[in-house]
Amino acid sequence: MPIRQFQAQRMHAPRDFQSIQPTPICVEIGAGKGKHALLFTAQHPEFQLIAVERTREKFVAMQKQHQIEGQQNLSPVHADAIPWVVHALHPAQVQHFFILYPNPEPHNPAQRWLNMPFFEFLLSRLQPGGQITLASNIPEYIEEAQQQLIDVWKLPFVKEKIAATSARTHFEIKYLERGELCQQLIITKPADYVTRFDDFQPLQGQNPVKEQAE
Ligand SMILES: C[S@@+](CC[C@H](N)C(=O)[O-])C[C@H]1O[C@@H](n2cnc3c(N)ncnc32)[C@H](O)[C@@H]1O
């Protein structure tokens, strides 16, 4: 089924929005309590990571642990990632997106990341050659995403089984301890990939102008 076009210009700015510099960055969406974000930035001081989490308690837990560990290359953000991406990110700015164990949305398949019109916008923010890591413990979620990559997004990817010893996130630890199969897709944006948002500049906190009735 074709996916309708994302209405980026209609996105309201997240509360307390702060703009970011147009330098290369990595972005984690749905970072939870920040275990992966803290590990990644400690292990890769050469990368800047912005870790976005919508749920306040989880964001606060990430922020507290970040204050203890003090990574200079990590910026936790409390926001819904969809409007935040539209307002903050520049075209082709992102080296790597991490989406680790997203909500499976069992009753709302249209809300899964690769089924959303927003995914095209996300792709426009990725550098040529940039990657998206999408991990899940639900084989059907991975299979559906894989099919969307083939049918709709026409993007190359590799599928990997996550080692039983991996411990990148709280959810990953829980699922692997239960003996569940955890998998990830590593998606790459080809150099010649085109989206309808490639020239769309970040809204930088501006809200859409309401259309006046004549
Ligand atoms: C199943 S949890 C996984 C958390 C973490 N990645 C992990 O593996 O432990 C999914 C997380 O995504 C967050 N989330 C879902 N939709 C989001 C959105 N649109 N923007 C930001 N965070 C979102 C939820 O609040 C939740 O913390």
Side-chain angles (χ1 to χ4, degrees), residues 5-210:
Q5 186 168 347
F6 179 59
Q7 301 292 311
Q9 71 288 353
R10 295 206 185 150
M11 286 283 132
H12 280 263
R15 193 177 297 168
D16 302 327
F17 174 78
Q18 290 185 347
S19 61
I20 61 165
Q21 293 299 310
T23 49
I25 50 165
C26 300
V27 175
E28 183 163 350
I29 293 180
K33 295 180 184 173
K35 190 173 179 61
H36 172 266
L38 291 154
L39 275 173
F40 177 83
T41 48
Q43 288 169 358
H44 298 282
E46 71 279 19
F47 289 114
Q48 294 289 327
L49 177 72
I50 300 186
V52 186
E53 173 52 48
R54 187 173 61 184
T55 305
R56 171 166 289 281
E57 305 79 68
K58 292 186 181 184
F59 165 76
V60 169
M62 165 160 58
Q63 204 179 31
K64 281 195 180 145
Q65 193 57 29
H66 181 220
Q67 279 161 4
I68 294 167
E69 298 186 24
Q71 287 88 332
Q72 295 290 310
N73 56 335
L74 172 61
S75 308
V77 167
H78 179 219
D80 182 327
I82 297 178
W84 181 83
V85 163
V86 170
H87 282 263
L89 296 181
H90 297 256
Q93 183 180 8
V94 177
Q95 296 160 307
H96 205 125
F97 281 109
F98 296 97
I99 308 177
L100 305 177
Y101 305 94
N103 294 335
E105 307 288 354
H107 305 299
N108 204 350
Q111 294 294 312
R112 297 177 195 148
W113 290 105
L114 276 80
N115 296 349
M116 281 197 266
F118 170 72
F119 195 71
E120 182 181 357
F121 192 90
L122 198 71
L123 292 170
S124 75
R125 306 297 99 171
L126 202 54
Q127 290 180 356
Q131 293 188 313
I132 302 174
T133 298
L134 175 73
S136 178
N137 64 319
I138 301 173
E140 297 78 23
Y141 190 102
I142 292 288
E143 273 157 35
E144 181 187 69
Q146 197 174 323
Q147 208 53 49
Q148 289 291 86
L149 290 170
I150 296 166
D151 296 342
V152 178
W153 306 115
K154 313 211 183 297
L155 283 166
F157 62 89
V158 292
K159 181 156 81 170
E160 298 173 350
K161 181 182 174 202
I162 293 161
T165 50
S166 185
R168 293 175 298 180
T169 79
H170 289 99
F171 279 78
E172 184 163 84
I173 293 167
K174 180 171 79 175
Y175 299 139
L176 289 171
E177 272 176 7
R178 296 203 302 227
E180 293 180 16
L181 170 66
C182 291
Q183 301 175 100
Q184 63 188 11
L185 300 175
I186 313 282
I187 304 157
T188 302
K189 181 178 176 179
D192 57 356
Y193 196 82
V194 173
T195 83
R196 292 170 289 187
F197 298 104
D198 293 348
D199 297 323
F200 188 101
Q201 293 304 315
L203 294 177
Q204 309 264 26
Q206 296 168 45
N207 278 318
V209 178
K210 284 210 177 80

